[in-house]
Amino acid sequence: MANIFKAYDVRGIYPEDLNEDLIYKIGKAFSDMLIEETGKEEVTIVVGQDMRISSPSLAQHLIKGVTEQGVNVIDIGLASSPTFFYGVSILNVDGGLQVSASHNPKEYNGVKFVRHKARPVGFDNGIGLVKEKIDTNTFRKAQTTGRVLSENTVLGKEVDFALEKCNPKAIRPMKVVADAANAMGAPYLSELFKQLPCELIPMNFDLDGTFPAHEADPFKEENLKDLKSKVVQEKADLGIATDGDGDRIFFIDDKGDLVEPAILRGIMSKIMLREHPGATICYDIRPGRITRDMIEEAGGVPSVTRVGHTLIKKRAIEENAVFAGESSGHFFFSNEAGVFEMPMIVVLKLLEFISASNTTLSEIVRPLRKYHHSGEINSIVEDKAAKIKQISELYKEGDIFWLDGITVEFKDFWFNVRASNTEPLLRLNLEASTKDLMLEKTDEILNIIRA
């Protein structure tokens, strides 16, 4: 069981790793934790679920565990993770549980945890305690049973909220292809584009937990292939890809090329700094220097964070950042709803930006492709600490930072090597000023890691 309690959520294969009995206990343990933390006589949480085959049964048993501890549930049913976060926030509850395995393959399922205002819960600040309560089978004896209420208006309110944060009237008519991978991005993209003067060409919008078209992970190049072709075929202005639970979003330009998340993050930073001059923007430590360049050019304050959506959200809250973005396609806005992924706002602001630029997305992005990135490369390494120490000695002439793994910066190339939280893996991300240097240094460091 231990290996399914991850740094940011619970995730494992159904029913071998995660089943109805375990998720029932997760509901009990999380409820007890919130009761102890809040000291309230009446605690209420939101429960949502994705479209995986096992999600309805798991959600039912999760709710059973929660209500048996005397905690009330507002069941929002099928929802993307951003919709779930928004629901936790606007319903002003004490926390929430989302049944989802994000972008993992069809045999997986999991649980995401949040507190009041959708504040993130990771292993170090809650999930570890949930696991401990389950391991020791220590649950409080409740005097009452919690109530279950159903709520089906959250998505509509979320769409209205996103529209209020932007200027839809400034968006010109465009053709947009979107691939939701039969997953939870489909509902919010469908509802959002009903309000826009754009033609939406949907791909794989029927919810299907077997993922008949392809895995719901746009971070993998093979899962973007059909979308890229369709954008070119349709002569569309851009393409959109979302992951399994809809909290990560990626964009394809009109030429059929991926807009790198670091570039998109920089564009969003530039937009937000127009609205909030001099504000702080958070971004994770993986190479993506164009983001820092664009923040500084726009007069903002760049703040580097550790990798992981719960960690970057926590830092954004602490630093009162107006926007934060991860290299993996998570983008967070800070407003009265909270700090969490708001992909609909990303879509709206990008469409506004393209409209105001009076040019194509590919022309906007072309001059921003200054650096050459290796992508994230994983290597199996048993003694990860020893290998990182070796790298620090071999590259001691560079500027070294220890925020998350090791980051080494030279004038013409820079890289980060960090350990996986759950597997015997080291992850390399390298960037350089030229493609040849990127390839050379990537091979050089991989040879050290894999020796």
Side-chain angles (χ1 to χ4, degrees):
M1 181 182 75
N3 65 336
I4 76 167
F5 286 83
K6 311 288 188 184
Y8 322 121
D9 57 22
V10 167
R11 218 178 292 184
I13 294 173
Y14 173 86
E16 295 93 303
D17 301 325
L18 179 65
N19 54 36
E20 283 77 3
D21 179 60
L22 180 53
I23 205 166
Y24 162 76
K25 292 176 181 175
I26 288 171
K28 291 173 78 74
F30 183 69
S31 298
D32 283 359
M33 185 183 83
L34 284 186
I35 290 168
E36 292 161 10
E37 284 182 358
T38 63
K40 292 169 65 174
E41 288 185 12
E42 188 168 11
V43 170
T44 302
I45 71 166
V46 162
V47 172
Q49 61 180 279
D50 69 14
M51 70 299 125
R52 290 169 186 271
I53 302 300
S54 57
S55 290
S57 177
L58 289 174
Q60 180 185 346
H61 284 79
L62 181 67
I63 290 170
K64 183 173 184 283
V66 171
T67 54
E68 282 188 7
Q69 299 311 103
V71 170
N72 301 322
V73 168
I74 299 177
D75 182 3
I76 63 170
L78 278 169
S80 68
S81 286
T83 301
F84 161 72
F85 297 144
Y86 185 73
V88 171
S89 178
I90 63 157
L91 294 170
N92 198 31
V93 295
D94 301 290
L97 295 167
Q98 168 84 339
V99 178
S100 175
S102 186
H103 60 276
N104 281 74
K106 61 185 178 183
E107 57 270 19
Y108 283 78
N109 217 323
V111 185
K112 292 190 174 186
F113 306 74
V114 294
R115 289 185 171 89
H116 178 66
K117 278 288 185 182
R119 287 181 176 248
V121 178
F123 193 88
D124 294 340
N125 72 335
I127 295 176
L129 182 58
V130 168
K131 180 181 181 301
E132 183 183 317
K133 286 178 179 291
I134 294 170
D135 287 344
T136 57
N137 203 36
T138 51
F139 306 115
R140 62 190 288 275
K141 294 192 186 303
Q143 303 302 310
T144 59
T145 300
R147 302 184 306 277
V148 181
L149 301 172
S150 294
E151 172 61 65
N152 60 8
T153 65
V154 175
L155 176 56
K157 291 174 181 174
E158 183 192 15
V159 171
D160 290 343
F161 180 81
L163 291 166
E164 288 167 8
K165 295 298 170 190
C166 304
N167 182 12
K169 291 181 179 176
I171 296 172
R172 62 177 168 82
M174 282 186 247
K175 185 186 283 191
V176 180
V177 181
D179 185 351
N182 303 103
M184 296 313 304
Y188 69 69
L189 288 174
S190 296
E191 291 304 308
L192 178 65
F193 274 86
K194 287 176 184 176
Q195 309 300 321
L196 302 180
C198 298
E199 178 189 354
L200 178 66
I201 301 172
M203 296 177 65
N204 308 311
F205 265 45
D206 293 332
L207 298 184
D208 188 335
T210 68
F211 303 113
H214 54 74
E215 276 187 24
D217 185 1
F219 211 43
K220 295 180 178 178
E221 173 63 28
E222 62 265 29
N223 297 325
L224 293 173
K225 182 178 60 177
D226 293 344
L227 174 60
K228 289 179 173 183
S229 297
K230 189 75 169 173
V231 168
V232 174
Q233 176 192 330
E234 294 284 348
K235 296 183 172 57
D237 295 280
L238 70 153
I240 299 171
T242 50
D243 75 340
D245 64 332
D247 61 356
R248 292 191 299 149
I249 191 163
F250 294 76
F251 293 87
I252 306 300
D253 70 20
D254 50 290
K255 301 292 187 186
D257 295 321
L258 174 69
V259 179
E260 294 83 350
I263 290 176
L264 182 69
R265 186 172 58 188
I267 291 171
M268 287 298 130
S269 299
K270 185 175 176 181
I271 293 167
M272 293 306 292
L273 286 166
R274 284 179 185 170
E275 300 174 14
H276 306 273
T280 297
I281 307 283
C282 292
Y283 61 100
D284 70 275
I285 197 165
R286 285 172 289 192
R289 183 167 289 184
I290 189 64
T291 301
R292 188 181 77 185
D293 292 352
M294 293 178 75
I295 293 169
E296 290 176 343
E297 285 167 9
V301 179
S303 175
V304 184
T305 77
R306 293 169 62 196
V307 175
H309 69 94
T310 60
L311 299 172
I312 195 169
K313 287 179 196 175
K314 183 173 180 288
R315 184 74 169 271
I317 291 167
E318 290 169 351
E319 299 200 355
N320 199 28
V322 296
F323 174 74
E326 274 207 299
S327 306
S328 54
H330 289 272
F331 302 106
F332 319 90
F333 293 90
S334 175
N335 50 48
E336 65 272 25
V339 179
F340 49 83
E341 293 92 333
M342 300 182 187
M344 285 195 281
I345 295 180
V346 178
V347 172
L348 289 165
K349 288 193 178 294
L350 182 62
L351 292 175
E352 275 187 62
F353 188 77
I354 296 169
S355 299
S357 301
N358 201 30
T359 185
T360 62
L361 182 55
S362 59
E363 284 301 305
I364 292 168
V365 169
R366 186 172 52 81
L368 301 173
R369 291 194 171 110
K370 296 179 181 179
Y371 307 119
H372 299 265
H373 198 296
S374 66
E376 186 162 273
I377 304 170
N378 293 317
S379 303
I380 296 174
V381 176
E382 291 303 328
D383 193 343
K384 296 177 280 190
K387 191 60 70 172
I388 287 176
K389 184 173 185 291
Q390 181 188 3
I391 290 168
S392 71
E393 292 166 353
L394 290 170
Y395 292 91
K396 61 186 178 185
E397 299 303 317
D399 293 327
I400 294 179
F401 306 92
W402 295 97
L403 177 63
D404 193 350
I406 182 171
T407 298
V408 184
E409 294 188 356
F410 290 90
K411 181 183 176 184
D412 295 324
F413 76 99
W414 43 94
F415 65 90
N416 171 261
V417 177
R418 61 190 179 87
S420 164
N421 288 308
T422 57
E423 301 169 277
L425 296 176
L426 280 182
R427 309 189 194 280
L428 168 66
N429 283 269
L430 183 143
E431 205 168 44
S433 55
T434 67
K435 185 176 181 179
D436 286 346
L437 183 60
M438 180 272 289
L439 293 171
E440 174 194 335
K441 293 299 178 181
T442 298
D443 284 345
E444 177 182 297
I445 296 166
L446 281 178
N447 286 335
I448 295 166
I449 290 172
R450 295 173 176 176

